[in-house]
Amino acid sequence: MPRFFTIQQAERLLPEAESIIRDAIAAKSGYEQAEEEMQNFSRRIMMLGGVRVDHTEILKHRDQRDSSAAVLKSAMEKIGEIGCLVKDLDIGLIDFPTLLNGEEVYLCWKLGESGIHFWHGVHEGFQGRKAIDEAFLASHQGDLPN
């Protein structure tokens, strides 16, 4: 069952969510780098026919990949526990579910933004972001009192 946030509740969680999303982005980068190194290593083995293979190098990259994957998984679980939805990890895009006139919509925040200034409908996505105005503030609600 989703959790619904007021803008005040979501804003209070931003420092924690930002820290977690930064960890997730770094872990994803580490994973991708290690995976690329492993693929490059495999190509070299095929080209050289397996002659003089340094197994410690491939093990190092595999350990880095697996470690990064574990950090990424943990970060994504933490975001889920908070109640946020990661929409685009590459740019650090997170949505906080809220209710607007009884209908589920999302408070939308992107890494680097100073706060939550936009919202969009469930099916609109990032391109459908609208500025939060007084009418939105007066009509939205969360599960719990602020």
Side-chain angles (χ1 to χ4, degrees), residues 66-79:
D66 294 349
S67 169
S68 295
V71 170
L72 179 57
K73 181 178 186 262
S74 174
M76 297 303 282
E77 288 171 352
K78 287 178 188 175
I79 288 286

Side-chain angles (χ1 to χ4, degrees), residues 117-134:
H117 306 291
F118 301 96
W119 70 277
H120 61 81
V122 172
H123 301 292
E124 292 177 304
F126 184 79
Q127 288 75 23
R129 292 193 337 161
K130 300 163 200 60
I132 292 174
D133 58 14
E134 291 300 319

Side-chain angles (χ1 to χ4, degrees), residues 81-144:
E81 289 168 6
I82 290 173
C84 306
L85 306 168
V86 176
K87 293 301 182 115
D88 187 334
L89 186 56
D90 292 328
I91 63 171
L93 186 61
I94 299 175
D95 286 343
F96 294 82
T98 191
L99 295 171
L100 180 62
N101 299 318
E103 182 181 332
E104 183 175 357
V105 297
Y106 296 134
L107 298 166
C108 185
W109 177 80
K110 185 175 91 168
L111 190 62
E113 293 179 340
S114 62
I116 299 172
H117 306 291
F118 301 96
W119 70 277
H120 61 81
V122 172
H123 301 292
E124 292 177 304
F126 184 79
Q127 288 75 23
R129 292 193 337 161
K130 300 163 200 60
I132 292 174
D133 58 14
E134 291 300 319
F136 179 89
L137 292 173
S139 302
H140 89 290
Q141 66 185 52
D143 289 336
L144 306 170

Side-chain angles (χ1 to χ4, degrees), residues 45-75:
I45 290 172
M46 289 179 68
M47 291 170 74
L48 297 173
V51 177
R52 291 191 266 166
V53 174
D54 181 4
H55 292 282
T56 59
E57 181 182 350
I58 193 75
L59 292 174
K60 178 182 86 171
H61 294 306
R62 187 181 68 196
D63 289 346
Q64 179 187 351
R65 182 197 62 191
D66 294 349
S67 169
S68 295
V71 170
L72 179 57
K73 181 178 186 262
S74 174

